[in-house]
C-alpha cells in the first residue's frame, strides 16, 4: 500500500556524493525539523527526468525556498555514482540534493515502486513529488504511468 498524506515517512538510508566522497543520509538527517520538497524519478539520465523534472526543480529552487522549503531532494533507484554523474551533467550544485536509493528500500517502503523489467530497468520508483514537514507527508502527487504533470516544481509551487 502506498504512503498517503498524514503518514510519517519510514526510516531509510540513502547515499549521496559529497566533496569528501560517498556519504549516507538517513531520513532523520533529511526530514527532522525541516520542510522538504522530495521528488522521485524513474531513473537518472532518462528523457523526461533529464529534460524536465530535475531541471524544473533546479530552476525553481529559489522560489520553493522562498515559500518555506528547507531542502529540495531528488530520489532515484540508481547508485550514487550514477546520481553524481547525472548531477554533474545537469549542472546541479546545491539547489537539489541527489539521493541514491540504490536497492529501492525507501521506494518499496513507501509503496511507490514499479517493475520496469520489460524495459530492462528492474525495480524503479514511480514519478512523484511530496512535501514533508518533520517527516510527515503534507502533500503527495503521484503521476499516472508515463505522465509528467503533478510532480513538477511548478505544480508543487502552487501547493505551497
Amino acid at each position: 500500500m502506498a504512503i498517503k498524506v498524514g503518514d510519517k515517512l519510514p526510516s531509510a538510508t540513502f547515499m549521496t556524493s559529497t566533496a569528501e566522497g560517498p556519504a549516507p543520509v538517513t531520513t532523520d538527517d533529511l526530514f527532522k525539523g525541516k520542510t522538504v520538497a522530495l521528488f522521485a524519478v524513474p531513473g537518472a539520465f532518462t528523457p523526461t527526468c533529464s529534460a524536465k523534472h530535475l531541471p524544473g526543480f533546479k530552476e525553481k529552487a529559489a522560489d520553493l525556498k522562498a515559500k518555506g522549503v528547507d531542502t529540495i531532494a531528488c530520489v532515484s533507484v540508481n547508485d550514487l555514482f550514477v546520481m553524481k554523474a547525472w548531477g554533474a551533467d545537469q549542472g546541479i550544485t546545491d539547489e537539489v540534493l541527489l539521493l541514491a536509493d540504490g536497492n529501492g528500500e525507501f521506494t518499496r517502503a513507501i509503496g511507490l515502486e514499479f517493475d520496469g523489467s520489460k524495459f530492462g530497468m528492474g525495480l524503479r520508483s514511480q514519478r512523484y513529488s511530496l512535501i514533508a514537514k518533520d517527516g510527515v507527508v503534507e502533500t503527495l502527487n503521484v503521476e499516472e504511468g508515463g505522465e509528467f504533470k503533478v510532480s513538477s516544481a511548478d505544480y508543487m509551487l502552487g501547493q505551497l
Side-chain angles (χ1 to χ4, degrees):
M1 185 161 105
I3 199 157
K4 60 188 179 311
V5 171
D7 287 350
K8 182 160 180 54
L9 291 164
S11 294
T13 301
F14 304 101
M15 291 299 292
T16 194
S17 185
T18 70
E20 293 79 36
V25 176
T26 67
T27 47
D28 277 349
D29 297 333
L30 183 60
F31 296 108
K32 191 169 185 170
K34 299 176 194 162
T35 298
V36 177
L38 179 73
F39 67 102
V41 297
F45 292 106
T46 58
T48 300
C49 305
S50 293
K52 297 177 184 175
H53 212 170
L54 181 58
F57 278 91
K58 177 185 176 185
E59 178 183 313
K60 302 293 182 177
D63 297 334
L64 288 162
K65 290 184 178 184
K67 292 210 174 206
V69 170
D70 298 304
T71 304
I72 302 164
C74 173
V75 65
S76 183
V77 181
N78 285 116
D79 66 65
L80 83 105
F81 302 106
V82 169
M83 295 298 280
K84 179 181 179 182
W86 189 41
D89 178 73
Q90 293 286 312
I92 300 297
T93 56
D94 61 353
E95 310 92 348
V96 178
L97 178 62
L98 298 176
L99 301 171
D101 184 21
N103 295 323
E105 291 166 359
F106 177 78
T107 299
R108 276 193 304 276
I110 64 170
L112 290 173
E113 76 277 6
F114 81 91
D115 183 359
S117 296
K118 68 180 178 181
F119 304 109
M121 296 171 71
L123 170 79
R124 293 297 173 128
S125 176
Q126 293 180 51
R127 185 181 308 280
Y128 67 87
S129 69
L130 63 81
I131 298 168
K133 288 193 179 178
D134 200 26
V136 176
V137 178
E138 286 212 335
T139 63
L140 176 63
N141 310 298
V142 181
E143 298 285 1
E144 295 294 323
E147 293 286 323
F148 176 66
K149 296 177 185 171
V150 300
S151 65
S152 72
D154 284 326
Y155 191 88
M156 183 176 278
L157 272 169
Q159 295 177 306
L160 291 168

